[in-house]
Amino acid sequence: MTTRLQQLWLLLLLLFLTHCGPGWTASFEPEASSIATEEASSIVASEGIAAESSPAPLPLPGQEDVKAAQALLKKLPPSSRRWSRYNRPSGFFSTLTYYFKWLFTLLFLNTPSSTSNSTPRKLSVPLTTAVDHLQRAATLSNPDALYILADLNFYGGANHPRNYTTAFEYYNSLASLNGNATAQYHVAFMYATGIGAGVPRDQAKALLYHTFAADGGNIKSQMTAGYRHHAGIGSARNCEVSVDFYKEVADKAIEYVRSGPPGGRALVKEGYYYADDKGGVYGEGASVSSSGMNAKHSNPASDAHAAFDDVLEYLDLMSRKGETKATFGLARLHYDGSRTMRQDYKLAKEFFLDITRRYWTKDGRVRSDTEPGLEVLAAKAAGYLGRMFLRGEGVDQDFSKARIWFKRGIDNGDALSQYSMGIMHLSGFGMPKRDPVKAAEYFSAAADQDFNSAQVRMGALMVDQGDLTTATRYFDLAARNGHIEALYYLGEMADQGAGRDRSCQQAALYYKLVAEKAEKLQSHFEEANDAYDAGDQETALLLNMMAAEQGYEVAQANVAYLLEQTYRTSPLARIMPYLLISRTAQKMSSITASATESATLALIYWTRSAKQANIDSLLKMGDYYLSGIASTAPQSPTSSPSAQARAGRPHSEPEKSAQCYTAASETHASAQALFNLGWLHEHGVGAARDYHLAKRYYDQASTTNAEAYLPVLVALTRLRFRSWWNGMSGGSVRGIEDDELPTNDAKSARKVKGEYTWTEWFADFLAADQEIYERELAEAAAGGEDGDISLGGIDRLAGEGPGGVLAGERRFRDDEYVPGAEWLGRNSRRSEDDDYDPSDDIDDGILETLIIVALAGALAFLVYWRQVRGLRNRLEEERRRRLEGGAAQVQGPEQAQGEPDRGVFPHPGDPAFADWVAGGIGH
């Protein structure tokens, strides 16, 4: 009888778990499966206790109270902080109203909270009753009660106020009770961040608890432990241990991807930089993310700053007018979805069908009146329609219909259709039997069109045949665009030393990239984004902080950016004190104990983000060290009274800031870094005062980013005045000087002094011309008499050698390639050839020709001018003669005969001698 009661009890409990909805985290599901099946509407994964311990033969103490609390919590609405998305309006009047409300709130409603964090908020009656039930069960050490109470205080579900100190106590009790991996993860997280001042930061304890949780199967702790051993946080760097942890996460990520429909799950990147909504952490044009090559450039055909809704409306208008490209763009947007638009397979299907109807009839024949180029878009649309039928996206899965659409796409060379048909032959979907040979033919055709998924499948087939060299080539091609399976295969080959020498560093980086691509598996970016859009900054910060601890660089930058809002000051603080307390700071006041603590924690995450090659974060590190807001002056018992008074105050470290700015400037992507270095050298802060060097940095900043023209102009004006005054007053600072030529020999020194004669210049010109001619002959002899490219040049062009096409894309050879080395991908797309000057390609012969033409033109102009001047002098002389002739007739022939003969040429004493010397008067 007792056994039957136990079985009945277990069945009732299973029934309850099955029907408990995915809303607030009152349901308990197995930890491993809850992550894979987590709904987007749940802010926290439902990780229960029952899966971590074997079913007890008897009900746990206090289980009746737990059941009563669960029944009450299930009836409560979800937290009011979630699931409301507010998009900023785009219209003129709507925008005006939005900012009017913002200004009114800032001036009249932005007051400090009347209650402190320590004052408990009054709970509703059902919530209070549920908490009472759980607390009674928790006193009996009921693990389910401890878990629910900890989640209530940590995540604030069901409008329960957050209390991180209480949450830590419950999580710690549960971890000590039965070693619950989820509780151990939360304890480790709170030790790592010191969130809410619930517990002081202790990185060693954090790593210890993460290790326990990782051994218990918690995927978040596995990823966090891998990152900490990889970056050396809480312990010395240990590549082998990092690889072990990252491999466990990568294996689960690949299993998650392959568990989806044919072709694998589609991974959507949800993490994005919150600061990019405002042009970056330094604003539009000043941040690396919105300047230089990353700047938005408008043209007559598009507006770079147009709102997404406006773009969508424009595409819809053009589609209604019959523009096929606009229709295909709408179909892709609805099929793929985006951060601001959910996927809509049914609407995407309608747009794809609209395109195919314009090209094919119902029986599959091509129409005779199709527009030019329609066959390409129709083939792509057919490939997507076949993919939807193959995977059952928005339609019932139907292999026969999928095959029909794929055949139409293949007839027009569509790569997606070729790859998908290969999947059907490889797995036998809708086919009489599996045919790997036929599948390889389709994969090869698609891979030749640089289709990443087909390249991965070809690489996998090559691995099965033992051809690791060809397989590596295919995987490298697919990894360029971040294909998760290609990265996983490369990580496996680097870890096991297959086809190449074993490299622990490469394996760790490959596994890390694989783990981070499966965001839905172990992070909560989607929920964090929803909370951020809804104005719930605390939830957004909390969830981003959890992802940041796992090693996500985008989350680290977001955490630092959000924490920075809590201590920003305003120049109007003395007039209106409450203006310095932003709404964000008030909402996140429970995260950190003080503004100094927020700044310190923000610097930690700026540093971690900078170590993962975020240039803006590196600049922020320099700003923090320069201002000293995150560090305080040290204090010792033997310090002087004035030193003790300064202890605890902001302590500037300009030398460290100069190092950060210098490292950022070396990327040649940040005008802000160059400008800051110029400022440091101008004022002698953290670097030697040098006006000439400051000018060089200012000039480089203006060259790097055209938008830096105005601040650079102001800075240079001030700098020139400083340099002038320094020279006038006899200062010791190096002033602005003209760039001099090298003076390593006497001739160079004479050039600088202006003593270089025309004869010497002409002799050097002829010598240089002869040297260039001899070098060209030598190059022609090395490349062949007919000017053919040498074998070495062909290898470089083909990518087999250093500097080739493929090497330029990968930046490394196959045996040297390190994933993540292209760290300038977000901040700058510069390559190793960025110092290349296009003017170097000007042929020397063309330059000589231009010089000769210019000299000939100058000579022709001088001859022309001499003739014009001579003609003018002749006309003037004739006019003078006519006047003199008339005067001679009036005076008489005697006087005219008495004039002496001047001869053929005028004498030196004659007034006409000067005219004759200047140009002649016609003789």
Side-chain angles (χ1 to χ4, degrees), residues 86 164 193 368 467 608 666 695:
Y86 177 72
Y164 297 106
T193 60
S368 58
D467 189 354
R608 294 180 184 178
E666 291 175 353
K695 179 182 180 299

Side-chain angles (χ1 to χ4, degrees), residues 839-876:
S839 62
D840 294 340
D841 283 344
I842 298 179
D843 187 77
D844 295 321
I846 297 177
L847 184 61
E848 294 175 3
T849 303
L850 293 176
I851 294 176
I852 294 173
V853 170
L855 292 175
L859 181 61
F861 176 77
L862 292 176
V863 173
Y864 168 76
W865 178 250
R866 186 177 185 279
Q867 291 178 351
V868 169
R869 188 169 182 178
L871 179 62
R872 185 188 306 165
N873 291 335
R874 286 198 302 271
L875 293 176
E876 182 66 23

Side-chain angles (χ1 to χ4, degrees), residues 28-29 47-54 143-145 147 174 178 180 182:
F28 300 100
E29 301 174 8
E47 299 172 325
I49 312 303
E52 299 184 2
S53 58
S54 59
D144 292 347
Y147 182 83
L174 180 58
N178 60 4
N180 181 269
T182 304

Side-chain angles (χ1 to χ4, degrees), residues 554-600:
V554 61
Q556 293 168 350
N558 287 342
V559 169
Y561 175 74
L562 291 174
L563 285 172
E564 192 173 272
Q565 317 303 316
T566 63
Y567 57 86
R568 282 184 175 177
T569 58
S570 170
L572 303 177
R574 295 182 179 179
I575 303 175
M576 306 181 70
Y578 298 134
L579 284 181
L580 66 90
I581 306 176
S582 64
R583 305 297 291 182
T584 302
Q586 295 182 24
K587 293 177 181 179
M588 296 191 298
S589 58
S590 61
I591 294 289
T592 55
S594 63
T596 304
E597 179 68 17
S598 297
T600 303

Side-chain angles (χ1 to χ4, degrees), residues 670-718:
S670 174
Q672 185 71 50
L674 295 166
F675 186 90
N676 291 354
L677 280 175
W679 187 92
L680 292 180
H681 282 286
E682 178 185 355
H683 296 84
V685 178
R689 177 171 288 185
D690 190 328
Y691 294 149
H692 182 73
L693 192 56
K695 179 182 180 299
R696 292 188 63 182
Y697 280 120
Y698 285 142
D699 291 339
Q700 290 182 28
S702 180
T703 304
T704 302
N705 186 1
E707 295 190 16
Y709 170 78
L710 182 58
V712 168
L713 179 63
V714 175
L716 286 177
T717 303
R718 181 186 66 239

Side-chain angles (χ1 to χ4, degrees), residues 640-660:
S640 62
S642 59
Q644 292 182 7
R646 292 192 303 268
R649 297 181 181 178
H651 176 59
S652 177
E653 299 178 88
E655 292 79 10
K656 291 185 178 180
S657 68
Q659 294 176 6
C660 294

